[in-house]
Amino acid sequence: AGYYPLLAKQQGYPELANISVVIGLHGPNLWAKAVGNQETIDKIGDLEMDYMERKSVEMADYVISPSRYLLEWMSNEGWPVNQRSFVQPNVLPLADRAHTPGGEQRQEETSAQRRQVSELVFFGRLETRKGVVVFCDAIDQLLRPQVAGLYGSAVTKLQRITFLGRGAMVHGTFGVNYVQDRAQKWGIPWKIISRMGPVEAKQYLLEPETHRLAVIPSRIENSPYTVYECAELGIPFIATQVGGVADLIHAEDHAEALFGLSLDSLVGRLVAALKEGVRPVRPRFQANHNEQVWLQWHNYAKQRQASQVAPESTEEAVQAVPTHADTDGTAGIEHDADGNLIDSSTLPYVSVVMTHYNRPHLLKWAVESVELQRYPADRYELVLIDDGSTNTEALEYLDELEPRFALRGWTIVRSENMYLGAARNKAVKFTKGEFILFMDDDNYAKPHEISTFVRAMQTGGADILTSFVDFFWGEDRPDITSDRPSYMFLGGSDSVGAFKNCFGDANCFVRKTSFEAIGGYTEDYGIGFEDWEMYANASLRGFKVDILPEAVYCYRFTHGSMQKTTDFFKNRRRSLRPYLNSLPESLHSVILNAVFPRREDGTITRPVGLAAEGDSRFHGVDNLVDAQTTAQNLSSAQEAQTKPAHDEL
């Protein structure tokens, strides 16, 4: 939820300028799923989540982890390092504290004497990473007849097994079902309690004279509340010494409460508990004191935020380029966020590059949208490249545009038909701008597109920026004030980009120096996805590709669009070329087989798994487009039937 707001903050959206964003670390998606639950990463959403988590940590004003372990794990896994990262245990709810904030004892103090154990309580979600598998393995071993004699009285003292926690997934099986299958052969009473809330669960463990021992045999942990709560409330427990578990327990009590990450270690600790009894262990710190540390930190963060000095120069303020909030156009680019006049000559010069081929009826709206930009007229230009138009109407319209362009110092480049990649590269040679905005002749720029891109590029430091998209249908100008379907791209994840177009549409904003360093577009004729390929190439080579979390232009769906008239398989293979070029040839078949799976007869079928959403530029929108087009066709047909012929007027 924080990824897009953090992007907006980084890109200078004034609404977020005075807000500090704090990321609290709990359990990264791939850490929990792949490391903890040993699940295969087979859904693109997992890679998308991983990218957003990493970027959010990088962009946050503060990162707070309850354990040093998780920060070290993230660093080892190549996560970006946020220099304002802190380690501080989580705040324990008042209901789970042994003392009130005033220091009064909430309940009768638990005895430090050893207690007999006759009931083992698995305490946690019925999930792989919470250790339910190794716990069941340990019970199997304790109760196995042929080895029971090795444990002497330990086995005879064990009267009941309880699972106290909600059901989750265990190796692809629902946790409750998994436990039911494993428990059938134990031969002693067992039960699953999955509907207790946190308060009731701890009350169950605290019931007097029940001889219950909470067992927390997690495979991985950050800083588990279960351990924190048991130590604070005096609930007898044992836990795996993983992650930040030991940080929650008094150092002198580690031997009493902790065991190693192995079946033998767990079995040995259970046998000792059953034979010798257990005693409650102490927390490493007092919950009330921990809360005071948090309050002090909040005061520090508040004071630091208040002391931030506003940028003094126009350059530092990134010229405070107005955003879509200036809907009436009165603020103007010549004013900063406080309404002060600024020198427009300090603003970067922007070149809009627009390609056109045989669509003058759409081109006129695209040109109009550039003319209506709320950016100083002397700080941007339009370079229109005609990619070899052949119909008379298109050629005549280009002639009509020549004097309009001449008055503004804009350029029309007439070229032989080269296709989009080559046409854009050629047009760039005629540009004078520091930044380039690439547009197609069927797009419609919102009035604040250039100004918003400029601000975001200067504050965010990206090499390439794309944006969200607003869709529209038909051949007129769109109503930019109405609500329209919007498509949210992810941004510059090279891992996701191998399987799905996460980068954005061809409408993009690029630093000219970066564009030249990247090498521009490849120039394959008759094949699309040149933009997807360029974004992937840039991302893989370390250029910063970001998304603007706002739709600053409208994308027109048309019948004869390139997406519908070119070969999808050739297009898709083109988007894979940067990945194939970066890998040994022996690995090419791995990617190609994932993206283009084949049936037994050798024909290509629809991809599944990670590559399932790489079937189009806007995955999931095809049905929406088809339905909208059908509705418009029906409307047009009905209008034609009811409209009188010319000779009847």
Side-chain angles (χ1 to χ4, degrees):
Y3 168 64
Y4 290 120
L6 278 165
L7 270 178
K9 185 175 189 294
Q10 184 186 70
Q11 294 168 2
Y13 277 76
E15 301 90 338
L16 300 172
N18 296 318
I19 295 175
S20 291
V21 180
V22 183
I23 296 291
L25 301 181
H26 178 65
N29 184 58
L30 293 191
W31 172 84
K33 185 168 185 176
V35 180
N37 288 332
Q38 300 176 306
E39 297 176 21
T40 301
I41 304 303
D42 58 357
K43 295 180 178 60
I44 197 66
D46 292 321
L47 296 183
E48 292 173 320
M49 180 67 74
D50 180 63
Y51 178 77
M52 289 190 285
E53 289 174 341
R54 289 171 183 255
K55 291 291 289 184
S56 296
V57 165
E58 178 183 10
M59 295 185 290
D61 295 292
Y62 304 98
V63 174
I64 301 181
S65 174
S67 74
R68 186 171 302 279
Y69 152 77
L70 191 57
L71 287 173
E72 292 175 349
W73 179 88
M74 292 162 64
S75 177
N76 293 336
E77 291 296 312
W79 283 58
V81 176
N82 189 309
Q83 296 301 321
R84 288 197 294 273
S85 297
F86 301 90
V87 176
Q88 186 63 32
N90 293 317
V91 175
L92 200 63
L94 289 173
D96 294 323
R97 299 185 196 178
H99 298 82
T100 67
E104 299 176 1
Q105 188 78 25
R106 282 186 175 275
Q107 59 187 33
E108 184 179 345
E109 188 169 356
T110 54
S111 171
Q113 297 297 318
R114 290 200 170 273
R115 311 174 190 179
Q116 292 183 357
V117 174
S118 61
E119 180 179 347
L120 299 178
V121 182
F122 176 89
F123 188 29
R125 284 192 306 276
L126 308 186
E127 185 178 26
T128 305
R129 71 184 177 102
K130 293 299 182 180
V132 68
V133 174
V134 72
F135 180 79
C136 290
D137 290 343
I139 301 304
D140 283 350
Q141 187 159 320
L142 281 174
L143 299 178
R144 191 175 300 150
Q146 55 268 42
V147 297
L150 297 175
Y151 305 128
S153 62
V155 175
T156 60
K157 290 181 178 179
L158 179 58
Q159 302 296 311
R160 180 184 295 275
I161 307 294
T162 300
F163 292 84
L164 184 58
R166 294 181 289 108
M169 299 304 293
V170 181
H171 294 329
T173 301
F174 186 55
V176 172
N177 296 337
Y178 178 86
V179 169
Q180 289 171 339
D181 290 342
R182 293 292 303 264
Q184 296 302 319
K185 58 183 178 181
W186 287 343
I188 63 172
W190 60 272
K191 62 181 177 181
I192 300 173
I193 304 174
S194 60
R195 297 193 177 185
M196 279 187 178
V199 174
E200 295 93 339
K202 289 183 282 288
Q203 288 174 346
Y204 177 85
L205 292 169
L206 282 167
E207 286 180 9
E209 305 302 324
T210 55
H211 308 299
R212 289 170 180 148
L213 173 67
V215 183
I216 308 170
S218 305
R219 298 187 68 255
I220 61 170
E221 281 292 3
N222 176 11
S223 183
Y225 269 104
T226 49
V227 170
Y228 193 178
E229 293 160 352
C230 286
E232 175 72 11
L233 295 174
I235 297 171
F237 75 96
I238 59 173
T240 321
Q241 187 168 353
V242 292
V245 170
D247 298 340
L248 299 171
I249 301 170
H250 196 289
E252 295 177 359
D253 292 340
H254 284 186
E256 178 70 29
L258 301 177
F259 57 89
L261 185 60
S262 70
L263 174 60
D264 289 343
S265 183
L266 173 57
V267 170
R269 190 66 195 86
L270 291 175
V271 169
L274 289 165
K275 282 184 175 181
E276 304 164 9
V278 294
R279 63 172 176 82
V281 301
R282 295 163 290 173
R284 187 176 68 85
F285 46 83
Q286 290 189 356
N288 290 337
H289 174 71
N290 182 47
E291 182 181 59
Q292 290 304 310
V293 174
W294 271 98
L295 291 173
Q296 292 170 11
W297 180 85
H298 277 279
N299 287 331
Y300 155 78
K302 181 179 179 180
Q303 293 170 5
R304 188 178 185 278
Q305 178 70 44
S307 66
Q308 296 299 305
V309 179
E312 294 181 354
S313 70
T314 301
E315 181 178 358
E316 285 178 319
V318 201
Q319 290 77 45
V321 179
T323 67
H324 63 289
D326 309 310
T327 53
D328 61 359
T330 56
I333 195 69
E334 292 83 6
H335 296 77
D336 64 16
D338 297 320
N340 302 312
L341 286 173
I342 62 174
D343 181 4
S344 66
S345 66
T346 64
L347 295 170
Y349 197 84
V350 177
S351 297
V352 181
V353 168
M354 185 183 297
T355 53
H356 167 255
Y357 178 75
N358 281 342
R359 298 196 292 191
H361 58 298
L362 304 182
L363 175 63
K364 65 179 182 179
W365 302 125
V367 171
E368 174 192 87
S369 72
V370 176
E371 292 175 324
L372 295 176
Q373 288 297 295
R374 291 201 301 271
Y375 197 74
D378 62 342
R379 303 308 298 161
Y380 76 101
E381 65 174 342
L382 173 57
V383 176
L384 172 63
I385 181 163
D386 180 71
D387 192 26
S389 289
T390 56
N391 70 44
T392 302
E393 184 182 359
L395 297 174
E396 289 178 349
Y397 185 65
L398 292 172
D399 292 339
E400 290 179 22
L401 286 177
E402 288 282 6
R404 283 169 57 188
F405 273 49
L407 285 173
R408 301 192 63 155
W410 292 0
T411 305
I412 296 178
V413 180
R414 300 184 190 236
S415 172
E416 71 279 7
N417 184 246
M418 299 187 297
Y419 232 65
L420 282 174
R424 291 186 185 128
N425 288 342
K426 183 173 182 177
V428 168
K429 297 176 182 177
F430 292 84
T431 61
K432 304 187 292 288
E434 175 186 348
F435 300 131
I436 299 171
L437 171 60
F438 287 105
M439 282 183 66
D440 288 338
D441 60 1
D442 55 352
N443 291 343
Y444 194 91
K446 295 183 180 180
H448 60 286
E449 179 171 12
I450 292 178
S451 60
T452 306
F453 268 136
V454 166
R455 184 203 61 220
M457 184 71 84
Q458 290 195 303
T459 58
D463 296 290
I464 299 174
L465 277 172
T466 60
S467 75
F468 292 173
V469 182
D470 277 351
F471 298 137
F472 74 109
W473 291 259
E475 298 189 348
D476 291 329
R477 69 165 67 85
D479 178 6
I480 61 174
T481 64
S482 66
D483 292 331
R484 294 195 175 276
S486 187
Y487 195 91
M488 298 167 59
F489 287 102
L490 174 69
S493 170
D494 47 32
S495 59
V496 175
F499 302 103
K500 170 186 179 179
N501 176 24
C502 63
F503 301 110
D505 179 43
N507 192 101
C508 67
F509 200 71
V510 187
R511 293 181 188 273
K512 187 174 181 178
T513 54
S514 300
F515 182 79
E516 293 169 343
I518 292 165
Y521 296 96
T522 58
E523 300 187 356
D524 304 57
Y525 188 86
I527 304 175
F529 286 177
E530 74 293 330
D531 49 332
W532 187 347
E533 179 191 26
M534 194 264 281
Y535 301 147
N537 180 32
S539 185
L540 285 167
R541 292 172 56 189
F543 292 91
K544 187 176 181 181
V545 182
D546 267 345
I547 188 78
L548 187 78
E550 178 186 359
V552 290
Y553 77 103
C554 298
Y555 179 99
R556 186 193 307 270
F557 280 106
T558 58
H559 293 293
S561 67
M562 182 179 297
Q563 184 166 294
K564 293 183 177 296
T565 58
T566 54
D567 187 309
F568 169 76
F569 297 105
K570 291 181 180 179
N571 295 346
R572 186 68 179 90
R573 186 175 179 109
R574 183 181 191 177
S575 71
L576 289 174
R577 187 156 51 190
Y579 297 95
L580 298 176
N581 290 343
S582 68
L583 293 172
E585 190 172 347
S586 59
L587 295 178
H588 287 193
S589 61
V590 176
I591 289 184
L592 292 173
N593 289 337
V595 176
F596 304 119
R598 295 183 179 273
R599 302 183 182 90
E600 292 184 2
D601 62 4
T603 58
I604 296 175
T605 185
R606 181 176 292 275
V608 296
L610 289 172
E613 297 186 15
D615 54 354
S616 66
R617 183 182 302 277
F618 303 109
H619 172 75
V621 180
D622 292 341
N623 292 337
L624 175 65
V625 174
D626 293 340
Q628 180 76 17
T629 302
T630 300
Q632 286 194 332
N633 290 341
L634 288 173
S635 177
S636 298
Q638 291 171 353
E639 182 179 351
Q641 290 174 358
T642 58
K643 186 176 181 179
H646 179 72
D647 56 5
E648 294 176 336
L649 296 177

